[in-house]
Amino acid sequence: MTASSGEQDRRPGSAARRTAALAFGADALLVLLFAGIGRSSHERAPSMLGLLETAWPFVVGLGIAWLAALAFRHPLSIVRAGLPVWAGAVALGMLLRAATGSGTAPSFIIVATITLGVFLLGWRVIAALVIALRSRPARSDSPGR
């Protein structure tokens, strides 16, 4: 007898896998957003192929960093996932860009580091605040206390 999809969702690792998948998806989307903003600010023609051409080194760096840091174990953690994923996406992304003859001007490295830091760490900070607020016990604001 097999469990229904609703029962499968209640298995202990199911929520953790879903959280990790969503976190990786958020990171990847933010890297694509970074590439899109960069292309737009340099007045590049909007195209999916162009976006992927710009983003792929950082997406590959992101994926490698996710695996190396075991970020899937603590995907919402700023220190255990956010910092190594950010560093890996930037460092490996720049190395791949340099290896393929793409630009790695110092100003681009600075902008990429700051922007990806704000993106990849920022959403985790917001998630941590939401989780902290949700876990606080309800306060009783009754006048008699």
Side-chain angles (χ1 to χ4, degrees), residues 15 20-22 25 48 50 53 55 59 61 63 69 72 80 87-88 90 101 103 107 113 131 137 142:
L22 289 171
M48 186 57 74
E53 180 184 337
V59 173
F72 52 87
R80 295 168 105 176
V90 172
S107 59
T113 301
I131 290 167
S142 61

Side-chain angles (χ1 to χ4, degrees), residues 27-118:
D27 284 346
L29 285 173
L30 289 167
V31 168
L32 289 172
L33 177 63
F34 159 71
I37 290 169
R39 288 184 61 79
S40 175
S41 70
H42 291 286
E43 298 178 10
R44 301 275 174 96
S47 74
M48 186 57 74
L49 189 58
L51 177 65
L52 295 175
E53 180 184 337
T54 302
W56 80 264
F58 299 102
V59 173
V60 169
L62 177 80
I64 292 170
W66 255 81
L67 291 174
L70 304 175
F72 52 87
R73 290 185 178 170
H74 305 280
L76 302 181
S77 171
I78 296 164
V79 174
R80 295 168 105 176
L83 291 174
V85 164
W86 168 40
V90 172
L92 296 172
M94 290 300 172
L95 287 173
L96 289 169
R97 284 182 61 90
T100 59
S102 297
T104 56
S107 59
F108 176 61
I109 294 171
I110 292 168
V111 168
T113 301
I114 292 169
T115 304
L116 288 173
V118 168

Side-chain angles (χ1 to χ4, degrees), residues 1-2 17 26 32 66 68 71 76 110 116 121 125-126 135 137 142:
M1 187 166 156
T2 62
R17 281 191 296 275
L32 289 172
W66 255 81
L76 302 181
I110 292 168
L116 288 173
L121 298 176
V125 168
I126 292 168
S135 65
S142 61

